[in-house]
Amino acid sequence: MASTETTVSKDGNDLAGLEAGLDALETVQTGRTPFRKTLTRKILPPVVAIALVLGVWQLLVSTGVADDPTKLPAPADVWGELRESWLEGTLHEYIWTSVSRGLLGFLLALAIGTPLGLVVARVRFVRAAIGPILSGLQSLPSVAWVPPAVIWLGLNDRMMFAVILLGAVPSIANGLVSGVDQVPPLFLRAGRTLGATGLKGTWHIVMPAALPGYLAGLKQGWAFSWRSLMAAEIIASSPDLGVGLGQLLENGRNTSSMSMVFFAILLILIVGIAIDLLIFSPLERWVLRSRGLLARS
């Protein structure tokens, strides 16, 4: 008996050593990434792309292809709008008004869409009843919810959050449903064998396995949240709501100031890119790295 246990233990140690050796061969062992490599791979490409866009933009204005400044302002005019708002102290107010609403609305959508997606994914009757509705709501333009939300709730922040929720919740829920559908049945059977059933199985088996699809749903949910908020701010204006990026864009249209319009568009784009780089890209790298799909550098 003791000999058998020794043999099993030895075989287990050999298997563990073999797995560790394979992992070591597949893992790229490097130290800190040199600054030169970081510069050429991550910093320089977007800088060059931005420089090319600005160069083409200025070329169109300088050569007279776009000779009407009311249609295409010069980059210097847009820079003047940015400088003026910075000196007046309104730049951070525009950004914070929209970002605070967008993030809070997204967190509310996350709190609602996650359990809704789990219920739809795990309960057949609920999926048959609600699944098609969620898919239909996801394809419905968010701007369509602004008029009824204004009528129901009035011109206030509750209206803004309602539009964000109606735009983001279906995307988050559908993303989680897609992730759960892609969980290998073997994982579920192994979890049940180990006693991971009910909420315990959902937390320890289903959610980790469905994480890639869930993360894709979160990214899409944020995109819908941001677009829904911009649509609501453009259409619904009130002194009580403050001036967000969408309202800034609408103010530029009302005053026929294309420099302000382009300024607002660039701010909306920059905020969207910043949220992706600061929040979702690190999460995506962590998920890929935890599954051995991204080499550690």
Side-chain angles (χ1 to χ4, degrees), residues 21-155:
L22 292 175
D23 291 341
L25 288 174
E26 294 178 354
T27 303
V28 178
Q29 300 290 341
T30 60
R32 174 177 293 184
T33 304
F35 176 74
R36 183 177 179 181
K37 183 180 293 186
T38 303
L39 178 66
T40 56
R41 291 187 177 182
K42 296 183 179 181
I43 299 177
L44 198 58
V47 171
V48 171
I50 293 173
L52 286 175
V53 171
L54 292 176
V56 173
W57 183 1
Q58 182 61 51
L59 183 64
L60 292 175
V61 175
S62 301
T63 57
V65 175
D67 55 352
D68 189 353
T70 62
K71 294 182 179 179
L72 182 64
D77 296 333
V78 179
W79 174 259
E81 288 285 344
L82 188 150
R83 183 173 181 274
E84 182 180 354
S85 63
W86 173 265
L87 294 176
E88 292 177 352
T90 57
L91 178 61
H92 70 280
E93 294 179 4
Y94 299 148
I95 297 175
W96 176 246
T97 298
S98 294
V99 170
S100 59
R101 284 176 182 158
L103 290 178
L104 181 56
F106 175 73
L107 292 177
L108 292 174
L110 180 64
I112 297 174
T114 299
L116 178 61
L118 284 174
V119 172
V120 172
R122 304 290 286 172
V123 182
R124 292 183 179 179
F125 176 79
V126 177
R127 169 175 284 199
I130 301 180
I133 298 176
L134 286 177
S135 299
L137 289 175
Q138 187 175 359
S139 62
L140 182 68
S142 303
V143 68
W145 290 112
V146 179
V150 172
I151 295 174
W152 293 336
L153 303 173
L155 291 173

